[in-house]
Amino acid sequence: MAKMSKIILTDTTLRDGNHTVSHQFSPDDVAKVALGLQGAGIDLIEIGHGDGLTGSSINYGFSKYDDFSTIKAAAEVLTTSKLTVLLLPGIGTVKALEQAHKYGAKAVRVATHVTEADVSAQHIKAAKEMGLFTVGFLMMSHMTDVDRLVEEALKMESYGADVVYVTDSAGAMVPSQVAEKVAALKNNLKVPIGHHAHNNLGCAIANNLAAIDAGATYVDSSLMGLGAGAGNTSTETLIAVLNKMKHDHRGDLYKAMDVSKDILVPILESKGLHLSTNHDSMMLGYAGVYSSFLLHSRRASERFDVDVRDILLELGKRKVVGGQEDWIIDIAHGLSTR
Amino acid sequence: MAKMSKIILTDTTLRDGNHTVSHQFSPDDVAKVALGLQGAGIDLIEIGHGDGLTGSSINYGFSKYDDFSTIKAAAEVLTTSKLTVLLLPGIGTVKALEQAHKYGAKAVRVATHVTEADVSAQHIKAAKEMGLFTVGFLMMSHMTDVDRLVEEALKMESYGADVVYVTDSAGAMVPSQVAEKVAALKNNLKVPIGHHAHNNLGCAIANNLAAIDAGATYVDSSLMGLGAGAGNTSTETLIAVLNKMKHDHRGDLYKAMDVSKDILVPILESKGLHLSTNHDSMMLGYAGVYSSFLLHSRRASERFDVDVRDILLELGKRKVVGGQEDWIIDIAHGLSTR
């Protein structure tokens, strides 16, 4: 158990989530979302084509904007969060990485199929020479057994990777499987271990938690869970769950929710994508209050001009149950006079 | 670990999912969905107003059809699956339960707030006297500690409950918390233990798995996850995950998917609710293949008139990776000549 280790958050809304918008995030979109994520305490912010540097192609879909214009836009706003790019050897090149570095990338994730870590040697070494924080990303980790996974991860470590990730690209794993794989890497590698989940089997967040319990200290997520397939772990829900389990991390729940609601949703709307946040139901679970309180709380929020989230949290703390709806007014009034 | 115990499935699409349609499922809707669920191997099928028997009221929202007309409709089609109703003492009465029994209910879940099991005594006893399979349902189980939970569960057992459930009404729990609570009940009760999850924190399915690993043998779900708040565990995804983990159960994955797609979605559409299944991404996770295979597989499915799900499963079995897309045609052709 590594519960008290600091958890390092990587948000991939602007890279894995780029799949959802057919790689059409503009430099302006990227700057706005990246700035918001930085404000919400996200440690690494990954941007770019869904398939990484120079992924824009007939095979993987063309980006609307070139990699370097979006990297430049993000670099101009990021100060405390690390601007990160993805590089799939075979799709992206060392030359492209040099360009990305020149335009402001501070970190790179070098990704290979789980049994092909060899092909990352040159790219990881080059990244380290550029001074980039370098993550080894073992994709489709469900496709091999623990021994082989360890072997491949050790290769990435030997090339110089600062972190190695168990990446569940197809969302094919359940928590016990993630725990087994992460624990094996934790026992055999010196560098920190990360986990990137997809939600195809509805297990993304629980897989992240299982990874953390097994010793991972790096986890990925994206706002509203935006990403390929069934999407990633939702950043806002991940932060809520990490708070609930008292894990140490830099994420700010309300700010992450606000980036989704106030910045990302309008951007998606402008591209014709009408997605809703799950914030209402998530806050009910986070506060631990029954759904019938929501409507009353929202009315009280408007009447007393207090954040409905604060009302719900206070209801949860006081363990209010059905039949005690009149407490909501008291709580809202109390919050408004603080 | 109780991995090899048979898992008993309860589907609550027609009760908890009734919240999603403002309690407007008609007797005809109920009959069609219930018959489909029975065909998909669901052991218990819960129907009725979201808040249980005689829940139809100004407080909880009026049902469009009375409880007994829907019970009668379900009873006419159910032979192997148990027709189940929900009873919240204080909302529903013993008299209403007698009526439900008369119209064909074979099981009842008697639900109280987690600290108020006392109020279920009379109802559980009456249910047992009627010969109903009787489940004790401890709602908002996150709101109390393990000792108190055990105390309340023991009360329900003493009244005659055949099963006692840890019910996470607000979706406020994560897997480790569910595991702790279920294990405590398992260690202290003689009757089987169940778990009902909500997905507010994105943990519903993983919570069910954690419950099973801790000894639960009854789990709840609903088609497409339909239910209050963020909804329940999705029945089809639950079956996929149980298959993946080689748990013994009666659920049929393809049939459950077909009930959602062919029966439930059109019913929801007719009520103005446009929800999509998550079946494509779920099958990718289940098969363990990358999302870029989907489009190719769907084309091959049409060309060779084979189920796209079978193609994806075969791709997963053969551990096909990116660049081997030409195998899809071979596989589809092979399946078509079987």
Side-chain angles (χ1 to χ4, degrees), chain A:
Chain A
M1 307 287 277
K3 281 215 167 156
M4 292 302 108
S5 299
K6 184 149 196 155
I7 304 304
I8 308 298
L9 304 174
T10 299
D11 182 283
T12 186
T13 311
L14 297 168
R15 197 279 303 168
D16 209 329
N18 220 340
H19 283 295
T20 319
V21 296
S22 305
H23 319 289
Q24 309 293 297
F25 282 132
S26 71
D28 186 52
D29 299 336
V30 166
K32 282 195 276 188
V33 174
L35 186 63
L37 287 168
Q38 175 172 263
I42 304 301
D43 300 289
L44 291 99
I45 297 170
E46 190 175 55
I47 75 160
H49 186 284
D51 297 287
L53 283 176
T54 58
S56 180
S57 62
I58 192 157
N59 269 340
Y60 302 103
F62 288 104
S63 301
K64 195 159 176 187
Y65 305 90
D66 86 90
D67 290 337
F68 306 111
S69 64
T70 53
I71 292 171
K72 200 160 160 268
E76 277 165 11
V77 299
L78 293 185
T79 52
T80 54
S81 300
K82 271 199 181 77
L83 171 51
T84 307
V85 292
L86 176 74
L87 176 70
L88 276 74
I91 299 178
T93 59
V94 169
K95 200 178 152 197
L97 186 60
E98 279 164 357
Q99 286 285 94
H101 178 222
K102 190 180 116 190
Y103 284 107
K106 303 289 184 205
V108 61
R109 310 213 281 186
V110 181
T112 75
H113 185 70
V114 63
T115 54
E116 295 173 5
D118 312 64
V119 303
S120 68
Q122 176 202 359
H123 304 77
I124 290 178
K125 285 174 192 166
K128 289 303 295 177
E129 276 163 23
M130 291 174 218
L132 293 169
F133 182 78
T134 305
V135 176
F137 217 56
L138 289 166
M139 298 189 293
M140 301 293 272
S141 278
H142 74 284
M143 287 184 80
T144 191
D145 61 24
V146 162
D147 291 344
R148 178 67 184 269
L149 183 70
V150 168
E151 200 180 298
E152 300 289 326
L154 283 168
K155 285 182 200 167
M156 284 183 160
E157 185 181 55
S158 76
Y159 307 147
D162 296 300
V163 183
V164 177
Y165 261 67
V166 175
T167 301
D168 184 11
S169 316
M173 285 155 82
V174 300
S176 55
Q177 296 168 330
V178 172
E180 187 196 11
K181 293 197 158 158
V182 168
L185 295 202
K186 187 72 193 162
N187 289 335
N188 287 282
L189 273 72
K190 290 181 202 75
V191 298
I193 309 304
H195 177 60
H196 174 97
H198 279 268
N199 203 35
N200 297 60
L201 294 175
C203 291
I205 285 196
N207 283 351
N208 278 347
L209 287 180
I212 290 170
D213 283 345
T217 46
Y218 281 72
V219 288
D220 284 15
S221 61
S222 62
L223 295 168
M224 302 168 72
L226 230 58
N232 298 106
T233 299
S234 142
T235 298
E236 43 272 56
T237 314
L238 176 65
I239 293 175
V241 170
L242 292 179
N243 286 349
K244 206 165 180 101
M245 300 309 287
K246 304 198 189 309
H247 285 294
D248 186 19
H249 65 90
R250 290 181 56 242
D252 183 302
L253 177 60
Y254 285 9
K255 286 183 183 166
M257 292 170 78
D258 292 345
V259 184
S260 279
K261 183 169 67 70
D262 300 334
I263 301 175
L264 184 60
V265 166
I267 289 173
L268 296 174
E269 296 272 347
S270 77
K271 300 182 196 311
L273 257 181
H274 305 284
L275 301 181
S276 316
T277 70
N278 62 353
H279 293 172
D280 284 341
S281 61
M282 191 261 280
M283 275 306 298
L284 292 168
Y286 183 55
V289 303
Y290 199 66
S291 49
S292 58
F293 286 123
L294 183 62
L295 191 59
H296 299 282
S297 300
R298 212 181 272 138
R299 283 188 194 134
S301 152
E302 278 169 26
R303 184 167 154 199
F304 293 97
D305 192 26
V306 294
D307 194 322
V308 67
R309 298 174 291 194
D310 288 328
I311 299 176
L312 293 171
L313 284 181
E314 193 60 29
L315 286 166
K317 267 188 215 153
R318 297 199 196 175
K319 295 186 182 263
V320 174
V321 297
Q324 299 177 322
E325 281 80 357
D326 50 325
W327 287 30
I328 295 174
I329 300 294
D330 293 344
I331 287 172
H333 176 68
L335 288 169
S336 72
T337 58
R338 262 189 204 167

Side-chain angles (χ1 to χ4, degrees), chain B residues 293-312:
Chain B
F293 287 124
L294 183 62
L295 190 60
H296 298 283
S297 300
R298 211 181 273 138
R299 283 189 195 133
S301 152
E302 279 169 25
R303 182 167 154 200
F304 293 97
D305 193 26
V306 294
D307 194 321
V308 67
R309 299 174 291 195
D310 289 328
I311 299 176
L312 293 172

Side-chain angles (χ1 to χ4, degrees), chain B residues 41-103:
Chain B
I42 303 301
D43 300 288
L44 292 99
I45 296 170
E46 190 175 55
I47 75 160
H49 186 283
D51 296 287
L53 283 176
T54 58
S56 179
S57 62
I58 192 158
N59 269 341
Y60 301 103
F62 288 104
S63 299
K64 194 159 177 186
Y65 306 90
D66 86 89
D67 291 337
F68 306 110
S69 64
T70 53
I71 292 170
K72 200 160 160 269
E76 276 166 13
V77 298
L78 293 185
T79 51
T80 53
S81 300
K82 271 198 181 78
L83 171 51
T84 307
V85 292
L86 176 74
L87 177 70
L88 276 72
I91 299 177
T93 60
V94 169
K95 201 178 153 198
L97 186 61
E98 279 165 355
Q99 287 284 94
H101 178 222
K102 192 179 113 189
Y103 284 107

Side-chain angles (χ1 to χ4, degrees), chain B:
Chain B
M1 306 290 277
K3 281 215 167 157
M4 291 303 107
S5 299
K6 185 147 194 157
I7 306 303
I8 309 298
L9 303 174
T10 300
D11 182 283
T12 186
T13 311
L14 298 167
R15 197 278 302 166
D16 210 328
N18 220 340
H19 283 295
T20 320
V21 296
S22 305
H23 320 287
Q24 310 293 298
F25 282 132
S26 71
D28 187 51
D29 298 336
V30 167
K32 282 194 276 188
V33 175
L35 186 63
L37 288 168
Q38 175 171 263
I42 303 301
D43 300 288
L44 292 99
I45 296 170
E46 190 175 55
I47 75 160
H49 186 283
D51 296 287
L53 283 176
T54 58
S56 179
S57 62
I58 192 158
N59 269 341
Y60 301 103
F62 288 104
S63 299
K64 194 159 177 186
Y65 306 90
D66 86 89
D67 291 337
F68 306 110
S69 64
T70 53
I71 292 170
K72 200 160 160 269
E76 276 166 13
V77 298
L78 293 185
T79 51
T80 53
S81 300
K82 271 198 181 78
L83 171 51
T84 307
V85 292
L86 176 74
L87 177 70
L88 276 72
I91 299 177
T93 60
V94 169
K95 201 178 153 198
L97 186 61
E98 279 165 355
Q99 287 284 94
H101 178 222
K102 192 179 113 189
Y103 284 107
K106 303 289 182 204
V108 60
R109 310 215 280 186
V110 182
T112 74
H113 186 70
V114 63
T115 54
E116 294 173 5
D118 312 64
V119 305
S120 68
Q122 174 201 1
H123 304 77
I124 290 179
K125 284 174 192 164
K128 289 303 296 176
E129 276 163 23
M130 292 174 216
L132 293 169
F133 182 79
T134 305
V135 176
F137 217 57
L138 289 167
M139 297 188 294
M140 301 292 273
S141 278
H142 74 284
M143 287 184 80
T144 191
D145 61 24
V146 162
D147 292 344
R148 179 67 184 270
L149 183 71
V150 168
E151 200 181 298
E152 300 289 327
L154 282 169
K155 286 182 199 167
M156 284 183 159
E157 185 182 57
S158 76
Y159 308 146
D162 297 300
V163 183
V164 177
Y165 261 67
V166 175
T167 301
D168 184 12
S169 316
M173 285 154 81
V174 299
S176 55
Q177 297 169 329
V178 172
E180 187 196 12
K181 292 195 160 159
V182 168
L185 295 202
K186 187 72 194 161
N187 288 336
N188 287 281
L189 272 72
K190 290 182 202 73
V191 299
I193 310 304
H195 177 60
H196 174 98
H198 279 267
N199 203 34
N200 297 60
L201 295 175
C203 291
I205 285 194
N207 284 350
N208 279 347
L209 286 180
I212 290 170
D213 283 345
T217 46
Y218 281 71
V219 287
D220 284 15
S221 61
S222 62
L223 294 167
M224 301 168 71
L226 230 59
N232 298 105
T233 298
S234 143
T235 298
E236 44 273 55
T237 313
L238 176 65
I239 293 175
V241 170
L242 291 178
N243 286 349
K244 205 163 181 99
M245 301 308 288
K246 304 198 188 309
H247 286 294
D248 186 19
H249 65 91
R250 291 180 56 242
D252 184 302
L253 177 60
Y254 285 10
K255 285 182 183 166
M257 292 170 78
D258 292 344
V259 184
S260 280
K261 183 170 67 71
D262 300 334
I263 302 175
L264 184 60
V265 166
I267 289 173
L268 296 175
E269 296 271 347
S270 76
K271 300 183 196 309
L273 257 182
H274 305 285
L275 301 181
S276 316
T277 70
N278 62 353
H279 292 172
D280 284 341
S281 62
M282 191 260 279
M283 276 305 298
L284 291 168
Y286 183 55
V289 302
Y290 199 69
S291 48
S292 58
F293 287 124
L294 183 62
L295 190 60
H296 298 283
S297 300
R298 211 181 273 138
R299 283 189 195 133
S301 152
E302 279 169 25
R303 182 167 154 200
F304 293 97
D305 193 26
V306 294
D307 194 321
V308 67
R309 299 174 291 195
D310 289 328
I311 299 176
L312 293 172
L313 285 181
E314 193 61 28
L315 285 168
K317 265 186 216 154
R318 297 199 196 176
K319 296 186 182 263
V320 175
V321 297
Q324 298 176 322
E325 281 79 359
D326 51 324
W327 286 30
I328 295 175
I329 300 295
D330 293 345
I331 287 172
H333 177 68
L335 288 167
S336 72
T337 56
R338 261 189 205 167

